[in-house]
């Protein structure tokens, strides 16, 4: 299950595997395509990302264009 990092609302789509870059959670308006919803988000690693040499993203809750983004399964708020 893929859920918003902020409010826990489930995200699903019949046509897309990932939310769009500027897609917002319908419940709390948080950006869905952001570091905090990514399975590679790992505070403490360089750039807080498990994947080495990724571009720095200053706002981990903001929309980003990271090519490595994968929505975390079973996200817990």
């Amino acid at each position: 299950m893929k859920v918003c990092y902020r409010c826990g609302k489930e995200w699903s789509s019949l046509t897309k595997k990932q939310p769009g870059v500027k897609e917002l959670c319908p419940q709390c308006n948080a950006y869905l395509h952001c570091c905090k919803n990514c399975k590679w988000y790992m505070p403490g690693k360089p750039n807080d990302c498990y994947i080495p040499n990724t571009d720095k993203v200053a706002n981990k809750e903001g929309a980003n264009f990271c090519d490595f983004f994968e929505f975390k399964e079973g996200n817990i708020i």
Side-chain angles (χ1 to χ4, degrees):
M1 177 167 54
K2 298 173 182 178
V3 300
C4 173
Y5 76 91
R6 185 186 290 166
C7 72
K9 171 94 172 141
E10 184 176 0
W11 178 84
S12 64
S13 173
L14 296 175
T15 58
K16 302 185 296 184
K17 287 178 58 178
Q18 307 292 339
V21 171
K22 300 266 181 160
E23 192 168 339
L24 299 173
C25 172
Q27 183 164 303
C28 72
N29 289 321
Y31 286 109
L32 294 172
H33 194 289
C34 70
C35 293
K36 286 196 170 181
N37 270 337
C38 183
K39 80 181 228 176
W40 305 117
Y41 177 63
M42 198 168 284
K45 290 279 191 185
N47 297 325
D48 292 330
C49 186
Y50 180 78
I51 298 175
N53 302 318
T54 55
D55 292 335
K56 181 172 176 60
V57 175
N59 182 359
K60 306 300 184 202
E61 297 179 3
N64 65 56
F65 293 94
C66 182
D67 291 333
F68 299 105
F69 176 85
E70 290 184 44
F71 211 131
K72 185 187 306 184
E73 293 283 340
N75 212 353
I76 299 171
I77 57 172

